Amino acid sequence: MEKSKSSIPGFENFPGREVKFKTPYTFLEARRKTDGAEGLWRIRNNLYDLEGFAKFHPGGEEWIRLTKGTDITEIFESHHLTDKAAKLLPKYLVREAASPRKLPITFETNGFFSTFKRRALDALKHVDFHRPSRKTNFIADFLVGTTVLLSLAVAYTQSYLIVVPAGIFLAWTTVIGHNYFHMRNTFRMYYFDLSTMSSKDWRITHAMSHHVYPNTLWDYEIYSFEPFLFWLPDPTKSTLSGVVSQLASPLIWALGFYEQAIKRYYSVFLEYKRFEFRDAVPFFLPMSMSLFAPSVLVAVKLWLLIILAGSFVFFMIGVNAAHHHPDIFHDGDIYRDDFDWGILELDAVRERTVIDDSDFLVLTNFGLHGLHHLLPTVDHCYLPLCEKAFKKTCKEFGISTEKFSQWELVKGQFKQIVQLEPQSKPELLSKEKFQKSACNLPFICISLFGNLISWQGFTIGLQVEAWRECGTIQLGLERRSVWLENFRKDQCYYYYYFHLGSFTAVGHGSP
Ligand SMILES: [Zn+2]
Ligand SMILES: [Zn+2]
């Protein structure tokens, strides 16, 4: 069940998907083979030698070391809000790259992302956004302290009941640790490592893969779950396997920390061949627990249970947070014509009601996730400062800022697992493109006839679209092969789907 063709025009398949034992290291290795960076650092079509600069990099040497031999255009643009980094670049220029860039993503000066970035920088001018906020630090320290105390209480009382809150606090500590590994090096990023997962690995799989290419073939957080959880629409996956995945989800969430711990130490010893301070951090909890438990063995057993509970909560929060819902773009769905990087981000994410209104919930639930994708290095507590700029820019570029409730996202995530068919979302097509796809009645008759005689597993639907702005009714054609159930409300139109034999009719009406 390997999916290898992207629906984003110009997006090439990512060879990292084909590797049997997928680790963060293999993601980078695949990038080195694919990106045409010729052993250097690639930004757009230029190659730079950042070797000498690495130890002066304000974000930390690690970012530079890990990305050697890859195309860093997207991370470079999204991680540097000011033009300071861009001004330094010419000094390190080596030559032009021999091959074209593998991805068609753009950062046009007047495009969505660059416009938003300028406004965000202005909105953040009164805070030191390069450093974590005091509020975040306080909440993080409180969470890690509570996790340690609860873990010690578990060891002392050997109470399975306390394992549950210890697991919840460990999960929250891990989520807030995510705020820190995105930023320049700070000791609080190691809070993340208490989970047994690696802050270094997540800088690769989350910051360099998921954040940059969410819900696409290049997203490690998509392909590393396959085939257990398969969110991309793919007609070759079966409904049965989707249902099994739905049922097995809680088990998959609970085993996530174990799985990542195994891969982590495999990479430490066999791939990176380097044991760092952060690789000792996961042992802090079991070691301190063993001082309070009757034996080391009992302490380890109880710690493994806390890890299990923490993993369950962490992945339950993570997979249901922002990215998976049939209304959210997944590679395979028909994509729009605009390849602006910021729009690619927002098409693959949805903000949430309630959670996004509280700093504590934002920090413990991957909240304000769209804004966080656009500004990954900005402390989550500073993101609300950019909301006005975000809404204004979205409005100008016709991007929806409609939020979902958490419950809507949970339901959507489970639905997405059994999503076989690519979706065509009219909101992703420009009005001009949609109008081009609309056609007149005689053509519909011809197509219907074609469908009736060929019966080739796909159907041609009649689509009625009402544009609110012009108030005209258009008739268009749409290829669909499944019954798209129910009724969805979008920004400015409604859709109705109904089904006659293999014939699917799609209705959209403005409210
Ligand atoms: Zn995300
Ligand atoms: Zn993130």
Side-chain angles (χ1 to χ4, degrees):
M1 206 162 50
E2 290 291 338
K3 192 175 165 63
S4 57
K5 204 164 170 358
S6 174
S7 62
I8 305 173
F11 239 70
E12 298 207 359
N13 182 28
F14 181 58
R17 290 178 67 84
E18 320 298 335
V19 177
K20 284 258 163 341
F21 189 66
K22 298 174 178 74
T23 62
Y25 182 86
T26 63
F27 170 83
L28 288 179
E29 281 298 294
R31 293 294 306 265
R32 285 184 191 109
K33 286 192 194 112
T34 316
D35 289 0
E38 303 168 35
L40 296 161
W41 288 263
R42 178 176 191 151
I43 298 172
R44 295 195 170 89
N45 286 327
N46 287 333
L47 300 177
Y48 300 89
D49 185 356
L50 302 178
E51 196 70 59
F53 172 70
K55 55 179 177 298
F56 303 109
H57 182 228
E61 206 174 325
E62 182 168 75
W63 295 99
I64 309 283
R65 297 256 170 259
L66 289 172
T67 52
K68 186 176 183 180
T70 70
D71 183 338
I72 56 169
T73 310
E74 287 82 14
I75 343 175
F76 180 84
E77 290 292 341
S78 58
H79 281 219
H80 303 120
L81 251 69
T82 66
D83 55 3
K84 225 168 144 185
K87 280 185 180 153
L88 282 174
L89 274 183
K91 219 169 116 187
Y92 301 98
L93 179 68
V94 178
R95 60 175 179 273
E96 247 185 57
S99 57
R101 239 159 78 74
K102 288 291 178 287
L103 303 171
I105 292 167
T106 60
F107 294 89
E108 301 292 340
T109 317
N110 293 320
F112 173 82
F113 180 66
S114 301
T115 308
F116 169 70
K117 195 161 104 167
R118 281 192 296 274
R119 289 174 181 165
L121 185 63
D122 187 54
L124 291 165
K125 64 176 180 254
H126 297 304
V127 294
D128 184 4
F129 60 86
H130 285 122
R131 296 184 191 285
S133 74
R134 281 166 72 180
K135 188 170 184 181
T136 308
N137 288 346
F138 176 79
I139 296 175
D141 295 345
F142 164 72
L143 291 176
V144 82
T146 312
T147 304
V148 174
L149 286 178
L150 285 168
S151 303
L152 297 181
V154 170
Y156 188 69
T157 60
Q158 292 148 60
S159 156
Y160 292 125
L161 213 69
I162 310 177
V163 166
V164 177
I168 293 173
F169 272 87
L170 176 63
W172 285 346
T173 301
T174 313
V175 181
I176 206 166
H178 146 262
N179 179 65
Y180 293 98
F181 72 62
H182 269 295
M183 309 178 81
R184 60 178 63 184
N185 291 346
T186 144
F187 75 93
R188 287 189 179 88
M189 73 183 187
Y190 300 128
Y191 291 178
F192 187 87
D193 293 85
L194 284 174
S195 65
T196 70
M197 299 194 296
S198 159
S199 52
K200 172 173 167 171
D201 286 349
W202 272 63
R203 277 186 162 175
I204 301 166
T205 61
H206 182 78
M208 297 176 194
S209 173
H210 166 71
H211 259 260
V212 184
Y213 317 106
N215 286 4
T216 71
L217 296 182
W218 291 53
D219 181 351
Y220 186 93
E221 289 183 14
I222 287 279
Y223 74 70
S224 63
F225 278 100
E226 294 171 3
F228 305 107
L229 298 175
F230 199 116
W231 289 291
L232 301 186
D234 186 348
T236 63
K237 72 182 183 188
S238 73
T239 308
L240 180 69
S241 68
V243 173
V244 172
S245 290
Q246 285 178 328
L247 295 172
S249 285
L251 187 70
I252 295 167
W253 303 340
L255 299 178
F257 283 2
Y258 293 157
E259 186 253 2
Q260 294 218 11
I262 292 166
K263 282 191 173 172
R264 171 193 194 138
Y265 290 104
Y266 171 85
S267 294
V268 164
F269 293 112
L270 297 168
E271 292 179 331
Y272 307 123
K273 298 188 174 113
R274 213 175 128 203
F275 191 93
E276 300 175 23
F277 165 74
R278 54 155 64 94
D279 299 316
V281 173
F283 302 105
F284 172 75
L285 276 184
M287 275 161 64
S288 39
M289 283 170 72
S290 66
L291 301 174
F292 292 83
S295 73
V296 174
L297 223 66
V298 172
V300 170
K301 183 189 86 182
L302 292 168
W303 170 67
L304 288 173
L305 285 176
I306 295 174
I307 293 295
L308 191 81
S311 179
F312 176 83
V313 177
F314 177 85
F315 284 101
M316 180 180 69
I317 292 173
V319 304
N320 294 298
H323 290 291
H324 306 306
H325 187 290
D327 283 0
I328 297 174
F329 173 79
H330 286 78
D331 206 331
D333 294 340
I334 294 170
Y335 198 62
R336 63 169 87 227
D337 287 339
D338 194 336
F339 298 123
D340 183 277
W341 179 77
I343 294 180
L344 177 81
E345 298 298 297
L346 295 182
D347 281 340
V349 64
R350 204 55 83 96
E351 306 283 38
R352 276 167 296 175
T353 53
V354 185
I355 296 222
D356 289 351
D357 300 332
S358 141
D359 285 340
F360 182 83
L361 292 177
V362 163
L363 286 163
T364 50
N365 288 272
F366 296 105
L368 287 173
H369 205 65
L371 264 173
H372 168 58
H373 263 259
L374 295 175
L375 304 169
T377 55
V378 173
D379 184 287
H380 280 70
C381 273
Y382 291 145
L383 291 178
L385 296 172
C386 306
E387 267 191 303
K388 223 170 113 190
F390 176 68
K391 282 190 184 140
K392 184 178 171 191
T393 318
C394 285
K395 201 169 168 212
E396 276 173 26
F397 284 81
I399 312 284
S400 165
T401 48
E402 189 200 7
K403 295 189 174 198
F404 278 162
S405 68
Q406 178 62 70
W407 178 234
E408 179 64 30
L409 271 156
V410 171
K411 285 191 296 183
Q413 191 272 130
F414 278 96
K415 258 189 186 173
Q416 187 63 39
I417 293 178
V418 288
Q419 186 73 35
L420 309 184
E421 287 303 314
Q423 302 263 67
S424 126
K425 301 180 180 68
E427 66 272 22
L428 292 190
L429 303 178
S430 64
K431 191 171 168 184
E432 292 71 35
K433 189 168 172 185
F434 179 78
Q435 280 173 336
K436 253 190 251 161
S437 79
C439 60
N440 56 29
L441 203 61
F443 182 44
I444 291 171
C445 294
I446 291 163
S447 302
L448 278 176
F449 180 67
N451 181 39
L452 287 172
I453 55 161
S454 64
W455 211 265
Q456 288 296 318
F458 67 86
T459 56
I460 297 162
L462 173 68
Q463 178 177 317
V464 183
E465 173 87 21
W467 292 105
R468 187 196 237 172
E469 311 92 286
C470 55
T472 58
I473 302 281
Q474 298 187 349
L475 297 175
L477 285 176
E478 203 160 39
R479 257 178 60 167
R480 288 178 186 276
S481 61
V482 281
W483 162 238
L484 296 167
E485 93 294 354
N486 72 44
F487 161 93
R488 296 191 290 140
K489 181 180 174 292
D490 216 281
Q491 224 186 348
C492 62
Y493 16 75
Y494 291 117
Y495 311 73
Y496 315 90
Y497 298 102
F498 54 93
H499 195 56
L500 296 166
S502 72
F503 179 79
T504 305
V506 186
H508 305 186
S510 48

